[in-house]
Amino acid sequence: MTRAEQGVTLFVGGFGFLLVLALLTGTLTPSYTLYLAGLTGMYVLLSFGLNAQWGYTGLINFSVAAFFGIGAYATALVTATNSPLSIPGGVLVGLVLAILASAVVAVAIAIPTLRLRSDYLAIASLGLAEVVRQIVLNQRDWTNGSGGLRGIPDVFAGWPVLGELPEQLPGLQFTEYAVGIPGLFRVRVLGFTLDTPFWTDLLNFVVVVVFVVAVYLLLRRVHRSPWGRVLRTIRSDEDLASALGKDTYGFKLQSFVLGSIIMALGGIFYAFLAAYVSPGDLEPINTFYVWIAVILGGSGSNRGAMFGGFVVVAIREGTRFASDILPSQLPVNIPVLVDVYGAIVSDFGSTRLLIVGLLIVLVMRLRPEGVLPPQRELVWPSALEEKDE
């Protein structure tokens, strides 16, 4: 393992240890812990999709939220209880409809825009994201407008075996204990119950794990294939790829559609995770969170995309509890510092963008290629084993 890989392993392991500690002490409930894990998987899928476009081919796509929303809303329109369209079908129909819808929209937007380059493609994709958001916000007959779609069932609702499995599994109740050192501190541990909602959330988590593993294996194979080598050539020098006889427009179209479908998978899972989708889920800030994940992990690196998605969720959700952990007052009495610190602690969640910005500045300054650059991913494992020997 390289030094960067060791650092990433230590960071992920340390954060996982903190999650387990928070679960045991009652700071986090079991269902919310699984929700965080599922949210991480969703961001990993979105990062995979953007990585297939930007990391492989160099396509600047600022419409991540649009394809995420297409996947989420296509699923919700089929499965939600208050869906205005009342399209018949179950989970599988929603999955197929979401994939087809994202592919059709990707082709429709890619045909006129992929001939543009750099800044112009970025502006066009940003416009697409806003068009999709305005449609789901204002078309009440289709999407229920700002009210959103609610009542989305579980992933396996109605299935013969898996649909009834959470209710058949026994509930597990853990007795609460108090541990500590007499006279110094005392902490309550355990004291929670694993019942039907937990088993349902666990099945949802298994679904996103399957999605992530399948997409990772697909992209790893694609990245090392001749098709992937053409994409990397286009990213480095599109004129050179054209001079070698490659249809660069066709390759970019394929890369764009592939990434958009993967983003739609993230939206599909989010619909079942949250059981509710609304136009607020398509805000542009979600697109830039995914860009941060890809840049942080390393453009073109699948492992980096996974790590970046993990860090984004850690920052987004971790800042919700920071105000409860940090002391309410500074030990020094400097008026300016006291006022600034008090404003930050009282609403620490609003400073997450500042933390993200500082993180990006540090990464660009210290590791411009990202934390986990893709070089080792482009070599077959057998070659790495021979080198290590």
Side-chain angles (χ1 to χ4, degrees):
M1 295 178 64
T2 64
R3 183 172 300 178
E5 291 171 341
Q6 294 174 356
V8 168
T9 303
L10 181 62
F11 176 83
V12 174
F15 194 81
F17 172 76
L18 292 178
L19 279 181
V20 173
L21 186 62
L23 175 64
L24 294 178
T25 57
T27 305
L28 299 179
T29 63
S31 294
Y32 185 68
T33 304
L34 286 178
Y35 171 80
L36 292 179
L39 196 65
T40 302
M42 183 206 75
Y43 270 102
V44 168
L45 288 173
L46 295 177
S47 301
F48 279 159
L50 181 61
N51 196 43
Q53 296 172 344
W54 163 251
Y56 291 2
T57 322
L59 301 176
I60 304 178
N61 180 14
F62 286 151
S63 58
V64 177
F67 292 103
F68 165 80
I70 290 172
Y73 267 91
T75 303
L77 287 173
V78 177
T79 59
T81 56
N82 68 331
S83 171
L85 297 184
S86 300
I87 300 176
V91 173
L92 293 179
V93 175
L95 176 65
V96 174
L97 179 62
I99 293 176
L100 290 178
S102 62
V104 169
V105 174
V107 171
I109 192 62
I111 289 176
T113 59
L114 287 185
R115 299 191 185 276
L116 304 174
R117 293 194 180 185
S118 63
D119 299 343
Y120 303 102
L121 176 59
I123 294 172
S125 62
L126 187 61
L128 170 67
E130 188 62 18
V131 166
V132 172
R133 191 179 72 87
Q134 290 298 325
I135 289 176
V136 300
L137 179 62
N138 295 291
Q139 287 292 343
R140 289 186 170 273
D141 296 336
W142 296 359
T143 62
N144 198 34
S146 60
L149 298 175
R150 64 185 74 250
I152 302 172
D154 301 323
V155 178
F156 297 107
W159 289 44
V161 178
L162 295 177
E164 302 174 356
L165 184 61
E167 298 179 356
Q168 296 176 353
L169 290 174
L172 302 177
Q173 185 173 3
F174 294 87
T175 305
E176 183 178 291
Y177 296 94
V179 297
I181 300 176
L184 293 179
F185 70 93
R186 185 181 181 185
V187 179
R188 297 181 181 274
V189 297
L190 299 179
F192 53 80
T193 302
L194 305 182
D195 48 9
T196 300
F198 172 81
W199 300 123
T200 302
D201 295 336
L202 184 60
L203 285 179
N204 290 339
F205 175 68
V206 171
V207 170
V208 75
V209 169
V210 171
F211 279 178
V212 168
V213 171
V215 172
Y216 176 81
L217 294 177
L218 171 65
L219 292 181
R220 186 178 68 169
R221 181 67 182 180
V222 163
H223 206 188
R224 295 169 175 170
S225 67
W227 187 76
R229 289 196 291 270
V230 173
L231 295 185
R232 294 197 300 275
T233 304
I234 293 174
R235 175 186 169 89
S236 301
D237 192 337
E238 184 174 348
D239 294 332
L240 174 61
S242 299
L244 294 174
K246 303 300 181 181
D247 180 13
T248 58
Y249 177 77
F251 279 96
K252 290 195 296 183
L253 178 62
Q254 296 165 22
S255 174
F256 191 83
V257 173
L258 174 63
S260 300
I261 291 176
I262 296 174
M263 294 172 187
L265 286 177
I268 292 169
F269 174 74
Y270 178 78
F272 293 115
L273 178 69
Y276 171 72
V277 294
S278 68
D281 298 323
L282 277 67
E283 292 290 340
I285 187 61
N286 294 319
T287 291
F288 295 104
Y289 275 136
V290 179
W291 270 95
I292 289 166
V294 173
I295 294 173
L296 173 65
S299 297
S301 170
N302 296 320
R303 298 178 305 158
M306 296 178 65
F307 175 67
F310 181 87
V311 172
V312 166
V313 174
I315 294 175
R316 281 195 57 185
E317 301 301 320
T319 52
R320 300 181 188 275
F321 308 100
S323 57
D324 299 330
I325 299 175
L326 296 175
S328 59
Q329 294 181 350
L330 285 175
V332 296
N333 189 17
I334 302 176
V336 176
L337 291 180
V338 169
D339 294 340
V340 172
Y341 182 80
I344 291 176
V345 171
S346 62
D347 188 14
F348 198 86
S350 62
T351 63
R352 62 170 60 99
L353 291 180
L354 175 62
I355 297 175
V356 169
L358 292 175
L359 184 63
I360 289 297
V361 170
L362 290 175
V363 170
M364 290 294 98
R365 179 67 180 85
L366 301 177
R367 289 187 67 87
E369 72 278 10
V371 177
L372 294 174
Q375 282 77 5
R376 290 177 65 88
E377 297 184 17
L378 302 178
V379 183
W380 288 103
S382 58
L384 288 176
E385 292 175 0
E386 293 176 359
K387 180 181 178 181
D388 292 338
E389 292 176 358

